[in-house]
Amino acid sequence: MSLAAYGHCLRGVVGRELLRFVHQRSRFVAALVRPLIWLFVFAAGFRMALGVAMTEPYQTYILYEVYIVPGLVGMIQLFNGMQSSLSMVYDREMGSMRVLLVSPFPRWYLLICKLLAGTLVSIVQVYVFLAIAYFYGVQAPLAGYVLILPALVVSGFMVGALGMLLSSFVRQLENFAGIMNFVIFPMFFLSSALYPLWRIREGSYLVYQIASLNPFTYAVEMIRFAMYEHFNAEATLIVVATTAVLLGLAILAYNPARGMMTRKAGAGAE
Amino acid sequence: MGGGRRTVSREIASTSTEVGDDITGRQDVSAALSVHDLSFSYSGQPVLESVSFELKAGEFAVLLGPNGAGKTTLFSLITRLYDYRQGEIRVGGLDLHRHSVEAHARMGVVFQQPTLDMDLSVRQNLSYHGALHGMTPAEAKRRASQQLTRMEMQGSLNLRVRHLSGGQRRRVEIARGLLHEPRLLLLDEPTVGLDIASRRGLVEHVHRLCREQGVAVLWATHLIDEVYPEDRVIVLHRGQVCADGGIGDIMAQTSSDSIGDAFDRLTEGETR
């Protein structure tokens, strides 16, 4: 297979994911409504109680709405990653996952294409959300909207790889609700998405320690810094390393020789 | 496992047609599909045991077996959805383990479950498949149009799959399986859920494809009436090949009056 053929494969997988996204308008609306409610209702309500003192990367005191936006961007990507994972379980149950996996391209490449496709869908959602937030009054420097893009790609890959790994363990679609309860919510709430780490530490040292170990915290911080024209090397390094580990495990899990696919066939084998 | 059953075996000409791995695809003397001594288990439970058979270019073979015989598992191994540790599978002479990319490029698959994206159009579904085989959009479009014309479905290119009948969807899946011009087409119970007329049309259509395009076809089914008199039949029962040959040979060797009778005897009367 030539390099151009690899490119066509990537274009096909990404194109299909975008088309599916366009067809599923309710998914798009749901993906936007969730963070907007947090921004318009939750953040506005807590503005007075939770004003944030001057902290990096902000140059001045900021309103709580300003603080919460990068966390909500992370939330969009987290939910989208899990949505992609859900659709992989659905595709596997419905059989369409097989169409992807019997392609002649190496499986690791197909999975990366799938991840990139999911990440691009999440980035579209993020930019629509940021545009609404901009007109609502949460405005970052214009360069920040460009600098955030590579950060969104890396963080999108991280949560997408996590979702892909989880999808390899989930036997049935019905079990997916557990993922929501045990993965998405703890990852989101036990991070710096809603409050800065120093403030969490004031409330509970244990929660602070957990949040410090949560890779989602670093994804949010990487996005926050990029949005305000700063580069957070520590956060980026942690997110990249976590992505590499999760991606490696997901590829392993979908490898026919070593992974879960064979065992999952289990009793249904014919 | 099946100790008392009659075994009608066809000589596997593994050495006469074997030419070794040739990833250039220049040599056509290799069997389109060669399965040799293939065994597979789930959690220690054997599903396939020493399965061996060979399929020549342009040959139509029916893989006949009751539900649970191991047909889908065999297809999953050939398509590398599952991996095998014992035995060997070659596609066009290429070892599936060593030349997975080239071997996959030579096979088309129609799965038991419908796998088209219902919300996308026929063109979009076929274009996606073309991309998964490294085709440009223009090339995928040209081939899609060509295949759909062969299927007498050229008018449905821009229709959403959701608006097609069950038989039409199956035809689109076959067109998709042939889009990259494979030399081997695998169909796993493709008539499941179709009415009698659609089933008959589909069986006839794939036989014609086999004759006209020289594609080797492995058609898995548990329905006797899908077997044509000239077909080769491989009977799979409890994970073992218990008969392999022409209908006449199998009937003669089982002293049966019909292939249905022979199938009943070979599978000890399990549900057809």
Side-chain angles (χ1 to χ4, degrees):
Chain A
M1 288 282 181
S2 65
L3 204 60
Y6 276 80
H8 294 312
C9 177
L10 174 64
R11 174 194 48 75
V13 176
V14 170
R16 176 177 181 262
E17 206 67 29
L18 287 172
L19 273 173
R20 282 178 63 158
F21 178 65
V22 169
H23 285 296
Q24 295 170 349
R25 287 186 193 88
S26 56
R27 180 180 157 191
F28 183 50
V29 172
L32 276 180
V33 165
R34 203 179 296 116
L36 287 175
I37 287 177
W38 277 88
L39 181 64
F40 295 155
V41 182
F42 180 85
F46 280 71
R47 176 192 284 189
M48 295 306 157
L50 295 171
V52 176
M54 207 162 81
T55 180
E56 264 202 299
Y58 304 107
Q59 306 291 326
T60 176
Y61 289 94
I62 50 159
L63 287 175
Y64 186 60
E65 286 103 316
V66 174
Y67 178 81
I68 204 177
V69 162
L72 296 179
V73 166
M75 177 201 233
I76 292 172
Q77 291 203 297
L78 188 60
F79 271 86
N80 187 76
M82 294 306 133
Q83 179 87 36
S84 299
S85 160
L86 175 73
S87 78
M88 282 184 87
V89 177
Y90 179 81
D91 280 358
R92 203 178 56 222
E93 278 199 354
M94 295 297 118
S96 47
M97 190 69 179
R98 291 173 172 224
V99 177
L100 179 78
L101 296 182
V102 300
S103 158
F105 289 99
R107 197 157 291 183
W108 62 263
Y109 181 71
L110 295 168
L111 294 174
I112 286 176
C113 287
K114 186 94 179 151
L115 268 184
L116 188 62
T119 302
L120 286 181
V121 167
S122 79
I123 289 175
V124 172
Q125 295 169 8
V126 164
Y127 274 108
V128 174
F129 168 74
L130 287 176
I132 297 171
Y134 185 89
F135 290 110
Y136 179 67
V138 180
Q139 298 175 345
L142 280 179
Y145 291 99
V146 180
L147 293 171
I148 200 179
L149 185 60
L152 291 175
V153 172
V154 179
S155 57
F157 252 76
M158 187 185 83
V159 292
L162 174 67
M164 190 173 275
L165 180 62
L166 292 171
S167 78
S168 73
F169 290 104
V170 177
R171 199 178 280 263
Q172 287 173 328
L173 211 55
E174 293 77 42
N175 301 342
F176 209 82
I179 299 272
M180 298 288 283
N181 291 328
F182 293 108
V183 178
I184 294 187
F185 293 133
M187 266 192 100
F188 181 68
F189 287 113
L190 294 170
S191 76
S192 62
L194 297 179
Y195 321 100
L197 284 180
W198 63 264
R199 177 148 275 184
I200 296 175
R201 189 169 48 190
E202 283 176 357
S204 161
Y205 189 68
L206 178 67
V207 175
Y208 161 74
Q209 280 183 314
I210 296 170
S212 302
L213 293 171
N214 181 358
F216 186 68
T217 291
Y218 298 96
V220 169
E221 291 312 306
M222 183 178 66
I223 292 167
R224 189 190 311 283
F225 274 65
M227 207 168 157
Y228 289 89
E229 303 173 284
H230 286 70
F231 177 64
N232 188 327
E234 183 201 15
T236 307
L237 202 66
I238 290 171
V239 174
V240 169
T242 308
T243 305
V245 171
L246 291 172
L247 185 59
L249 290 173
I251 288 170
L252 204 63
Y254 274 93
N255 183 324
R258 286 184 282 278
M260 301 293 292
M261 296 294 284
T262 310
R263 273 173 277 161
K264 222 179 301 296
E270 200 206 297
Chain B
M1 191 167 174
R5 273 179 283 133
R6 297 169 208 209
T7 301
V8 186
S9 63
R10 168 184 277 219
E11 280 295 313
I12 304 294
S14 56
T15 51
S16 60
T17 55
E18 190 55 69
V19 292
D21 294 352
D22 171 25
I23 59 167
T24 65
R26 280 172 301 191
Q27 297 183 35
D28 275 330
V29 289
S30 297
L33 174 66
S34 164
V35 176
H36 183 65
D37 197 25
L38 184 69
S39 296
F40 187 72
S41 309
Y42 288 122
S43 320
Q45 195 72 27
V47 182
L48 293 175
E49 281 191 82
S50 295
V51 171
S52 294
F53 64 88
E54 209 168 82
L55 203 59
K56 289 196 220 89
E59 190 174 20
F60 190 106
V62 178
L63 182 68
L64 199 60
N67 289 327
K71 301 188 295 292
T72 299
T73 300
L74 178 61
F75 272 51
S76 296
L77 291 168
I78 298 172
T79 53
R80 282 217 81 197
L81 287 171
Y82 307 158
D83 197 37
Y84 55 93
R85 292 201 175 91
Q86 192 188 322
E88 185 185 64
I89 299 174
R90 285 176 179 268
V91 177
L94 298 169
D95 183 274
L96 203 56
H97 274 151
R98 285 165 55 201
H99 300 295
S100 172
V101 172
E102 295 82 5
H104 267 111
R106 292 179 185 197
M107 70 171 91
V109 193
V110 177
F111 296 104
Q112 192 177 60
Q113 287 170 298
T115 54
L116 293 170
D117 207 319
M118 304 289 268
D119 291 321
L120 302 188
S121 70
V122 171
R123 184 178 55 77
Q124 287 165 336
N125 269 284
L126 295 182
S127 174
Y128 172 58
H129 179 82
L132 289 179
H133 282 263
M135 290 178 209
T136 63
E139 177 68 1
K141 192 178 173 187
R142 186 185 67 75
R143 291 198 192 190
S145 167
Q146 195 180 46
Q147 288 299 337
L148 287 175
T149 306
R150 281 194 186 129
M151 303 276 166
E152 294 157 6
M153 287 190 65
Q154 56 271 44
S156 25
L157 196 63
N158 292 312
L159 289 181
R160 272 204 196 183
V161 171
R162 193 177 291 284
H163 298 135
L164 301 179
S165 69
Q168 287 172 320
R169 286 178 200 169
R170 274 308 190 187
R171 282 178 179 234
V172 172
E173 288 194 281
I174 293 170
R176 183 180 64 182
L178 292 168
L179 199 73
H180 55 289
E181 296 174 352
R183 303 315 299 154
L184 169 69
L185 184 63
L186 306 167
L187 300 106
D188 187 9
E189 308 217 20
T191 57
V192 166
L194 298 185
D195 58 45
I196 294 171
S198 302
R199 266 180 58 201
R200 200 177 294 137
L202 202 65
V203 176
E204 170 53 32
H205 183 76
V206 177
H207 273 88
R208 199 167 60 236
L209 276 176
C210 188
R211 282 194 303 270
E212 292 172 1
Q213 295 184 39
V215 179
V217 173
L218 184 63
W219 176 291
T221 186
H222 63 280
L223 302 167
I224 296 291
D225 58 355
E226 293 181 1
V227 183
Y228 275 27
E230 69 275 16
D231 287 345
R232 175 180 162 199
V233 178
I234 300 165
V235 181
L236 191 68
H237 183 46
R238 293 181 185 161
Q240 290 182 320
V241 174
C242 60
D244 182 357
I247 289 180
D249 298 338
I250 293 176
M251 281 165 53
Q253 289 176 62
T254 52
S255 309
S256 307
D257 299 329
S258 66
I259 186 67
D261 223 17
F263 182 57
D264 278 347
R265 288 183 185 209
L266 288 164
T267 59
E268 298 156 3
E270 281 187 25
T271 320
R272 262 184 259 168

